[in-house]
Amino acid sequence: MRRRTISIIRVRGRPGDRTRGVLIAGGLAIPVVLGRSGIRANKREGDGATPRGRFRLVRLWWRADRSARPRTILPVRRIEASIAWCEDVGDRRYNRPFRRSANEPGDRLWREDHLYDVVIEIDHNARPRVAGRGSAVFLHLARPDRSPTAGCVALSGRNLLRLCGRLGRKTRILIH
């Protein structure tokens, strides 16, 4: 039996701890880790804040060398060693993935740790892209110590994979 796609997932901060929250989706309540500055409406590049707003889920990225392709109906792309995310506000590729040469800056999606083994790209600052309004905001795996992110929403691998099977092109994420 195929599960229905979730239309909206909600992320809410935990009172008294700006770096912790809960993601509510289709009857699931999943603990999450937020940016070191908590949730902010006025997100800026490098501020460590998780952006407040309603966003589309764009695609799922995954490391094929570390796990099988996650079950989802989102568009899926493999993470290759050369793929990075442009965080340079002066670059025309700002807040987009690109193939990075060995000496180019950018947030590499191919990491030694496991944070980006499965990543869901959200469309924060995508249409239109505004330099300095924040880049590389994802749903991704939490660190083992559950320390804050640089502005993403992070959750356990088990919970992220469980959620992936219920996400589709029409799913929206509401962060508030």
Side-chain angles (χ1 to χ4, degrees), residues 144-155:
D145 66 358
R146 298 185 52 77
S147 57
T149 70
C152 297
V153 175
L155 52 160

Side-chain angles (χ1 to χ4, degrees), residues 6 8-12 21-32 163 172-174 176:
I6 295 170
I8 191 152
I9 56 179
R10 298 175 189 278
V11 174
R12 187 170 290 159
V22 64
L23 181 150
I24 307 294
L28 300 172
I30 300 169
V32 296
L163 190 60
R172 301 295 181 257
I173 183 169
L174 177 61
H176 56 106

Side-chain angles (χ1 to χ4, degrees), residues 38-157:
I39 297 172
R40 287 191 185 162
N42 192 20
K43 168 94 181 117
R44 304 296 301 167
E45 188 67 41
D47 67 0
T50 300
R52 180 183 312 273
R54 181 183 171 115
F55 309 103
R56 283 183 325 106
L57 304 180
V58 178
R59 72 181 63 99
L60 180 141
W61 297 79
W62 108 101
R63 288 272 306 257
D65 64 315
R66 292 191 171 165
S67 68
R69 182 185 191 272
R71 289 183 151 185
T72 187
I73 57 173
L74 286 170
V76 177
R77 286 194 54 191
R78 287 180 188 217
I79 296 172
E80 299 169 8
S82 63
I83 299 293
W85 209 268
C86 185
E87 297 175 318
D88 179 352
V89 297
D91 193 310
R92 65 178 173 72
R93 301 171 297 187
Y94 178 66
N95 198 26
R96 289 188 179 160
F98 70 101
R99 292 203 181 276
R100 176 185 145 170
S101 64
N103 61 348
E104 277 186 288
D107 186 11
R108 274 202 188 273
L109 296 187
W110 187 279
R111 297 172 57 120
E112 292 301 315
D113 61 23
H114 293 276
L115 296 186
Y116 289 179
D117 286 2
V118 176
V119 173
I120 298 173
E121 174 188 345
I122 68 171
D123 75 342
H124 166 71
N125 193 25
R127 294 180 190 176
R129 283 179 302 129
V130 177
R133 295 299 296 183
S135 63
V137 178
F138 308 125
L139 290 175
H140 66 71
L141 302 176
R143 290 179 181 88
D145 66 358
R146 298 185 52 77
S147 57
T149 70
C152 297
V153 175
L155 52 160
S156 74

